[in-house]
Amino acid sequence: MSWFTKEKAGIEKSDSKKSKVPEGMWVKCPGCSGTILSLDIEANQNVCPKCGHHFRIDAVKRLKNLLDEGSWKEFDSGMTSVDFLEFKDAKSYQDRINAAVAKGGSKDAVICVEGAIEGTRVQVSVFDFSFMGGSMGSVVGEKITRSIERGITLKQPVIIISASGGARMQESILSLMQMAKTSAALAKLKEAGVPFISVLTDPTTGGVTASFAMLGDINIAEPKALIGFAGPRVIEQTIRQKLPEGFQRAEYLLDHGMVDIIIPRIEMRQKLSSILGMLRKTDF
Amino acid sequence: MAAQFHLEFEKPVVELEKKVDELNALAKNGLDISSDISALEARVEEMRNNIFSNLTRWQTAQVARHVNRPFTLDYIRLIFSEFVELHGDRNFGDDHAIVGGPARFEGKPVMVIGHQKGRDTKEKVYRNFGMPNPEGYRKALRLMKMAEQFGLPVITFVDTPGAYPGIGAEERGQAEAIARNLREMAALRTPIIVCVTGEGGSGGALAIAVGNRILMLEHSIYAVISPEGCAAILWSDGTKGEQAAEALKPTAKDIIRLGVIDEIIKEPPGGAHRNHQVTAIALKEAISRNLDELEKLSADELVEDRYRKFRAMTRCVE
C-alpha cells in the first residue's frame, strides 16, 4: 500500500504554498486569505497572526523556539544515508540524497539534540520535511533510536516532533525495519519509566505515524495538521467515495481519540514545560 | 489440490505435464511407452527447475500472491493439531483478515496467528483480501499477551498486501494499532517465530512480524510498499510493477543479504502452490529447529535477543 502519497506531493516541492513561508514581502495566507507581511508571520513562529494558520517551519527554527537559548547540542549530525540497494527511478537514490544535502541544512530528515525546556533537560528530535519529505530510512531510524537510548541512560524525557511522509521507499525493507527498531527502543524507555511525548505536525503519515509517532505517553498535534496512516488519495482510490470533511486533520483525530491534545505552536514550549514538570519522577 | 490457475510463465510446464498425463493414460491401455514417459518427465522437471530458479522479482511477486498458494489456515491444518480459533479484539469486532488461537505444535501448546486470504471471490471478500483493520491487529496483540501469560511460544504467518486503507480503519486508529504491536511484540516475554509465507506488505505485515527468528519461504516477498504502490508514486503508473519490483528488491534472496531474515525455506519444484504438503513439512522442520533453540533462552534473554536483532538493522555512514 502506498504510504508515500504525501511524499510525492511534498518531496520535491519545498516551495509549495503549504511549506514554510513563501519568499517576498507579502504573503497570502491559505487560512484566512488575508495578505500578511511575511516578517509578521516569521516573527510569530510561522503562524498567521490573523487566523492562526500554521505554516510549515524548518527544524532549526523550531528548536530555537522550543529550547532554552544556548542549551542544546546536536548528535549524529554527520550521519548520512547510503544507496545500498542501488535504487533508481528517474534519479538514483544517491542523487536524491546529494540534492537534498546540497539544499543546505541537515544531512538527513531528522535533527536530534539534547537541550533544555525551561530548565528541564530533554532529548528532542525534529523532522525536516524538506529533506525527502521527512521520510524515514536507516539514518532517521538510527538517530531516533539513539536519542531514545540517551533518554533511557540519562533519564531524560524524549520528545519527537514529526513531519514525515513515512518510511523511505528507496531503502525498501530496511526502512520498514526502522519502525520496529524505534518502537522497540520505546518499549525500553517505557520500562525505564521515562516520559515520551510525541508531537505530530503537518503532515505525519505512513510508517512514522504507524510507529513512534502514535506511541507517545502523550500525543500532541498542531492545529489542522494532516495525520494518518494511509494517504487520503490512496483511501479515496480504494473505497471510491469522497472523504468526510476534515478527515485526517488533527481535530478529527482528537475527536476519534487518537491524540490527547491540540496545542498551537505559540503555546508549545510553555505547555511542554508544564507537562514535563508533572510527568517527571523525582526518584530517578 | 489441483492447480486451476496458472501464471503465464508456468504454462509451458503445465502443457508438458498434460502430455505426460496423456501418455500415462495410453500406457494404462497397454502401450509400452515407459521410456518416452520418463524422457518427457525429465524434460518437465528440467524446465520447471529452470523457470523457478530464474524467476524475476516480478515473477516471484506473482508466485507469492498465487491464489493456490497455501494460506495460514492451510499451514495450521498441515502443521498443527487441536487449533482452537479465538475471535475478536474485545473492543470493536472480529477481523477475518487475521486468524489466531492456541494449537499444538509437535504436541506442545503454542499460539498461532496469521493473516488470512481467501481463495474464491466470496472468501476473498470475507477475508478483505487479507488486509486487516485495526481490530485485527488488536486481536493479534490480545492473543500474544495471552501467550505471554501462559508461557506459549508465538508463531506467526505473514501474508498480506498491507493494512487496509479505509475510513473506518483510520478512525479506529490503524496507525496506533500497528505501532502498539511493534512496541509490545518487542517486549513480549516468550519466543516469537515469524514465517513470511506469501506477501509481506509493509506495516500491515510488520505488525505481526517482530520476532526472534524470521523465516521466509523461497518465493515470498517482503517490502516497505507493494511494487504497484511504488510504481504509482515513482512513475504515476501503477502498471509498472515489474520495474518497481526490481528497484524494491523484495525477494528472500535480496533480503537475507541485509540481515533482515534468518532463513530461507525451500519450496517444492514449481512453488508452494504445487504441493502444500511438502511446503508445510519444510516449514515445520524449520519452526521446530528454531523453537528448540529459543526455548533454551530465558524471558529476559528472548527480549534482549529480539532487541539486538532489530537494533542492528541499519545501513548508513557516519
Side-chain angles (χ1 to χ4, degrees):
Chain A
M1 302 318 328
S2 167
W3 289 357
F4 298 90
T5 326
K6 291 308 292 175
E7 198 176 277
K8 198 207 167 205
I11 191 166
E12 301 283 15
K13 303 178 189 167
S14 60
D15 57 345
S16 71
K17 69 168 185 179
K18 286 179 88 176
S19 66
K20 298 185 187 169
V21 180
E23 300 280 324
M25 287 276 283
W26 298 90
V27 173
K28 190 170 180 208
C29 173
C32 61
S33 300
T35 307
I36 322 280
L37 202 59
S38 61
L39 282 175
D40 287 349
I41 296 174
E42 277 164 31
N44 199 36
Q45 299 192 32
N46 285 21
V47 176
C48 173
K50 275 196 188 154
C51 72
H53 173 81
H54 282 54
F55 291 85
R56 285 179 189 158
I57 182 168
D58 76 62
V60 173
K61 201 168 167 198
R62 189 185 280 281
L63 283 169
K64 281 184 183 155
N65 288 324
L66 203 60
L67 298 175
D68 300 350
E69 206 181 331
S71 73
W72 47 286
K73 61 171 175 182
E74 189 180 349
F75 290 89
D76 307 314
S77 60
M79 201 186 287
T80 49
S81 295
V82 187
D83 184 11
F84 55 87
L85 291 180
E86 293 171 6
F87 194 103
K88 198 167 191 310
D89 49 283
K91 271 197 223 168
S92 75
Y93 178 34
Q94 191 59 56
D95 288 346
R96 287 189 192 279
I97 298 166
N98 295 346
V101 171
K103 270 197 285 188
S106 35
K107 291 219 163 109
D108 214 289
V110 74
I111 297 179
C112 301
V113 307
E114 183 191 321
I117 298 179
E118 298 187 353
T120 303
R121 301 299 295 178
V122 285
Q123 296 290 333
V124 187
S125 301
V126 183
F127 274 78
D128 177 2
F129 190 75
S130 70
F131 194 105
M132 294 190 74
S135 57
M136 171 163 68
S138 282
V139 170
V140 170
E142 183 64 23
K143 283 171 82 165
I144 284 188
T145 303
R146 288 185 189 181
S147 173
I148 296 165
E149 287 174 339
R150 283 193 298 276
I152 296 168
T153 312
L154 301 168
K155 305 283 184 197
Q156 289 175 354
V158 174
I159 300 171
I160 302 176
I161 302 172
S162 302
S164 172
R168 189 175 291 171
M169 205 158 47
Q170 289 86 349
E171 292 183 28
S172 196
I173 194 75
L174 271 196
S175 295
L176 188 68
M177 294 304 139
Q178 303 312 310
M179 295 168 61
K181 187 167 92 181
T182 51
S183 303
L186 285 176
K188 290 202 159 192
L189 188 77
K190 198 173 187 60
E191 200 182 317
V194 179
F196 168 45
I197 296 177
S198 173
V199 180
L200 299 100
T201 75
D202 188 64
T204 301
T205 59
V208 166
T209 320
S211 58
F212 53 83
M214 268 294 153
L215 292 175
D217 292 305
I218 295 182
N219 292 337
I220 297 172
E222 280 195 337
K224 304 237 170 76
L226 178 85
I227 301 162
F229 173 64
R233 205 186 49 173
V234 174
I235 298 173
E236 233 163 24
Q237 281 167 358
T238 308
I239 62 171
R240 291 166 209 279
Q241 60 190 52
K242 284 295 278 177
L243 298 174
E245 179 75 17
F247 182 62
Q248 293 185 321
R249 294 289 162 185
E251 296 70 15
Y252 193 89
L253 271 87
L254 187 75
D255 268 354
H256 287 87
M258 293 301 147
V259 297
D260 290 276
I261 182 171
I262 295 173
I263 299 179
R265 196 177 292 155
I266 311 296
E267 298 167 26
M268 195 67 79
R269 175 178 151 87
Q270 187 270 319
K271 284 266 169 63
L272 278 175
S273 166
S274 158
I275 289 166
L276 289 172
M278 291 187 276
L279 290 191
R280 211 148 152 68
K281 279 190 191 169
T282 48
D283 57 347
F284 275 150
Chain B
M1 188 200 59
Q4 292 133 350
F5 174 80
H6 303 296
L7 297 167
E8 204 50 47
F9 55 87
E10 290 182 293
K11 282 180 180 161
V13 176
V14 174
E15 290 300 313
L16 276 189
E17 281 173 340
K18 268 188 203 151
K19 286 220 175 92
V20 172
D21 288 347
E22 281 165 24
L23 289 182
N24 274 323
L26 287 176
K28 261 191 201 147
N29 295 338
L31 231 55
D32 182 19
I33 44 171
S34 57
S35 61
D36 296 326
I37 293 176
S38 39
L40 198 56
E41 276 174 342
R43 247 184 83 199
V44 170
E45 199 182 321
E46 193 194 329
M47 188 186 261
R48 196 195 283 130
N49 288 343
N50 203 17
I51 291 173
F52 274 81
S53 53
N54 293 298
L55 291 179
T56 66
R57 294 186 170 99
W58 180 237
Q59 287 171 331
T60 305
Q62 289 169 282
V63 176
R65 295 166 175 171
H66 201 292
V67 71
N68 297 130
R69 200 168 170 82
F71 299 145
T72 297
L73 287 173
D74 298 313
Y75 289 116
I76 290 177
R77 191 169 41 77
L78 291 165
I79 297 176
F80 302 84
S81 61
E82 290 185 54
F83 174 60
V84 182
E85 186 177 349
L86 302 178
H87 299 269
D89 69 343
R90 295 284 195 276
N91 183 30
F92 178 81
D94 186 40
D95 190 332
H96 306 138
I98 288 187
V99 296
R104 285 187 187 274
F105 178 80
E106 296 178 328
K108 287 176 287 194
V110 297
M111 185 65 75
V112 195
I113 299 164
H115 300 104
Q116 182 64 38
K117 290 180 177 174
R119 213 153 261 138
D120 59 33
T121 307
K122 202 175 149 197
E123 205 200 345
K124 280 181 183 166
V125 171
Y126 180 71
R127 300 294 181 186
N128 199 30
F129 301 87
M131 294 188 281
N133 276 285
E135 47 277 15
Y137 295 115
R138 290 176 181 137
K139 169 170 72 179
L141 182 58
R142 183 171 76 84
L143 297 181
M144 288 188 255
K145 290 285 191 185
M146 191 191 297
E148 183 180 53
Q149 185 185 346
F150 297 110
L152 311 180
V154 174
I155 298 166
T156 71
F157 292 89
V158 173
D159 186 15
T160 179
Y164 185 64
I167 293 177
E170 295 286 328
E171 287 178 338
R172 298 193 295 278
Q174 187 73 288
E176 193 275 345
I178 294 171
R180 180 180 294 266
N181 279 22
L182 302 182
R183 187 185 66 197
E184 299 300 313
M185 281 188 93
L188 206 74
R189 298 174 65 76
T190 192
I192 304 175
I193 294 178
V194 176
C195 311
V196 181
T197 54
E199 277 183 279
S202 200
L206 185 64
I208 61 164
V210 183
N212 296 87
R213 294 283 197 282
I214 303 168
L215 317 176
M216 192 162 164
L217 282 184
E218 190 183 359
H219 302 307
S220 54
I221 57 169
Y222 197 4
V224 69
I225 186 171
S226 72
E228 291 86 347
C230 176
I233 292 164
L234 291 182
W235 298 287
S236 305
D237 182 355
T239 65
K240 290 190 173 157
E242 186 159 8
Q243 276 168 265
E246 286 303 313
L248 285 169
K249 301 193 171 59
T251 68
K253 255 192 284 183
D254 293 321
I255 290 173
I256 201 161
R257 290 195 194 113
L258 298 171
V260 171
I261 59 168
D262 299 282
E263 213 174 297
I264 300 175
I265 313 295
K266 279 290 270 182
E267 294 187 24
H273 58 284
R274 302 301 299 273
N275 198 330
H276 289 194
Q277 193 84 40
V278 170
T279 312
I281 288 169
L283 201 49
K284 184 178 182 177
E285 183 281 319
I287 294 170
S288 174
R289 184 164 30 78
N290 282 286
L291 198 53
D292 281 349
E293 286 170 23
L294 292 176
E295 283 186 326
K296 292 182 189 130
L297 303 181
S298 69
D300 284 342
E301 286 168 337
L302 284 166
V303 172
E304 199 47 40
D305 169 75
R306 219 176 292 131
Y307 191 76
R308 275 202 307 268
K309 180 184 187 63
F310 285 88
R311 186 70 190 80
M313 294 183 192
T314 304
R315 289 274 171 115
C316 58
V317 286
E318 294 193 54

